[in-house]
Amino acid sequence: MPTRLSALAASVALLTALAVPAASADPGGPGGPGSTGSTGGSGAPTVNLATNPGFELPSPNLADWGSIPGWSCTGGPAEAAVTTTAAHSGASALTVTPANGDSAGECAQTVAVQPDTTYTASAWVRGNFVHLGATGTGHDVAPAWTETTSGGWQQLTTRFTTGPDARSIRLYVHGWYQQGPFSVDDVRVDGPAPAPAVAAGSIPTTDKVVFFTVDDGWQRTPEAERFIADHHLPITAFPLPMPAGTDPDFFKRVTAVPGSSIQDHSVSHSDLSKLPPEQQQVEICDARDAMTRLFGTAPVVFRPPFFTWNADTLQAAANCGIRTVLTADADFSWGASNIWHPGPLQPGDVILMHWTDTLATDLPRALAAAEAAGLKPAGLVDYLH
């Protein structure tokens, strides 16, 4: 106890010197919940970029049990839960109960931003020594915090300007050691959104290359793995988080050839065009987080399930740091050899396949079609960005 309390006292002294006021004076002022103006001098409209900001959205099918959509909490479901009692607004709020004295109960999410731009982060909190802050901005940002909300709700607000290289920030909320549970609701990251992702079915290039993409991940065979290794094929994998999490070593092996990568295919493989924008953002951002956690690199390409998407999909993808929403113009899955344009394969074509029990024969058929057209497989991301 003495160590934690002394650390708490030191933190309070530091934050008192550095932090912005714990509660915003005008919730409807610049960057606040009622704001519809612009920020950062860009002229772009101010929007809330946070994913599942009110903790109202359900977890997608196939999501990890106990996960909070859009959020990653260090203590997992043992500490963090969506509760339906005494929310600040709506029906739900996040309540975190640190499991022991060594936990501050942090929950965080990655938010895509524009460089050299000012953003305002805010959240309504309830509890003792609750903190709200952002890292990865390109500048030091003191968190907003409150010593106590005296049993009620209080808004924390902090403002930051991103650096010239900042494309995403990590927004976090946490309590303090041995200070008990706290609640969070109505989170905002107000500022201009990133430009919508670009939709593509092929990659413009004059190089004599095609791109092998393989989706889903439910059936993983040693025969397909061996063919990929023996022929040094660069593969762009779009696994769902559940099969990827079941056998991450497999996906690491089949994407070991230079130029290969693992990208985003949503959490539940739903038709996103039938979902509202905020649920699309959960599907894409949560899959991004799963791939980043499993494989160490954040995806920059999203493959929409069933190749269905709309304008909301492009913006939701951008809000998750995705630059390209990619379909395909040829399908060699399950014994097929479908090319969706006249003639043979062409430079820049994207070929769709799936991790199935037929992949070991689909791959050589696709490779033969590419070679017959004088083309060879290449690394997709190398040509996109």
Side-chain angles (χ1 to χ4, degrees):
M1 176 72 79
T3 300
R4 290 299 186 199
L5 290 180
S6 62
L8 176 60
S11 175
V12 170
L14 175 62
L15 293 173
T16 300
L18 294 178
V20 299
S24 68
D26 178 12
S35 175
T36 57
S38 62
T39 191
S42 66
T46 292
V47 296
N48 183 10
L49 295 172
T51 302
N52 193 18
F55 305 97
E56 306 286 340
L57 299 179
S59 292
N61 293 333
L62 307 181
D64 292 339
W65 179 85
S67 64
I68 308 296
W71 294 84
S72 176
C73 299
T74 54
E79 291 190 349
V82 173
T83 56
T84 57
T85 57
H88 175 258
S89 71
S92 303
L94 174 69
T95 296
V96 181
T97 304
N100 54 58
D102 293 324
S103 173
E106 183 179 81
C107 291
Q109 65 174 254
T110 299
V111 180
V113 295
Q114 296 185 25
D116 294 318
T117 303
T118 299
Y119 291 86
T120 301
S122 63
W124 287 88
V125 302
R126 184 174 60 197
N128 298 329
F129 289 96
V130 188
H131 298 66
L132 167 75
T135 60
T137 65
H139 305 288
D140 291 335
V141 179
W145 64 282
T146 181
E147 183 174 354
T148 180
T149 66
S150 301
W153 287 97
Q154 179 178 330
Q155 190 182 45
L156 302 181
T157 301
T158 185
R159 185 166 290 142
F160 58 88
T161 299
T162 55
D165 300 319
R167 298 289 177 180
S168 67
I169 59 98
R170 181 176 180 271
L171 178 75
Y172 66 84
V173 291
H174 65 72
W176 200 255
Y177 307 100
Q178 303 178 5
Q179 297 301 305
F182 65 93
S183 297
V184 184
D185 202 0
D186 296 327
V187 180
R188 301 188 67 91
V189 179
D190 286 302
V198 174
S202 61
I203 309 304
T205 181
T206 58
D207 292 354
K208 294 184 177 299
V209 297
V210 292
F211 307 99
F212 284 10
T213 66
V214 191
D215 287 9
D216 295 352
W218 295 112
Q219 294 175 287
R220 304 171 294 277
T221 67
E223 294 82 7
E225 179 184 344
R226 185 162 51 250
F227 187 87
I228 291 168
D230 289 348
H231 291 80
H232 304 286
L233 293 178
I235 296 294
T236 303
F238 291 92
L240 299 172
M242 187 171 284
T246 300
D247 194 358
D249 288 343
F250 173 85
F251 292 100
K252 291 176 183 178
R253 293 193 301 269
V254 295
T255 56
V257 175
S260 300
S261 66
I262 298 176
Q263 301 296 332
D264 192 324
H265 194 35
S266 83
V267 174
S268 70
H269 206 280
S270 297
D271 180 347
L272 297 196
S273 69
K274 297 180 179 179
L275 298 179
E278 58 271 17
Q279 285 187 246
Q280 294 197 41
Q281 189 162 319
V282 164
E283 287 273 359
I284 300 170
C285 284
D286 279 6
R288 171 207 61 192
D289 292 344
M291 297 303 104
T292 305
R293 182 172 61 253
L294 289 168
F295 305 111
T297 302
V300 293
V301 184
F302 173 64
R303 164 67 55 77
F306 312 110
F307 287 4
T308 56
W309 56 272
N310 55 26
D312 290 336
T313 312
L314 300 183
Q315 188 60 63
N319 292 353
C320 298
I322 299 294
R323 304 177 195 172
T324 304
V325 173
L326 183 73
T327 56
D329 47 18
D331 182 7
F332 279 69
S333 304
W334 293 292
S337 298
N338 299 319
I339 301 172
W340 297 320
H341 58 67
L345 292 171
Q346 299 174 358
D349 277 353
V350 175
I351 299 174
L352 171 69
M353 288 173 276
H354 289 78
W355 300 105
T356 66
D357 56 3
T358 68
L359 183 58
T361 56
D362 295 337
L363 283 164
R365 193 173 62 260
L367 183 60
E371 291 175 342
L375 308 171
K376 63 179 181 180
L380 175 70
V381 174
D382 295 340
Y383 277 80
L384 280 176
H385 311 294

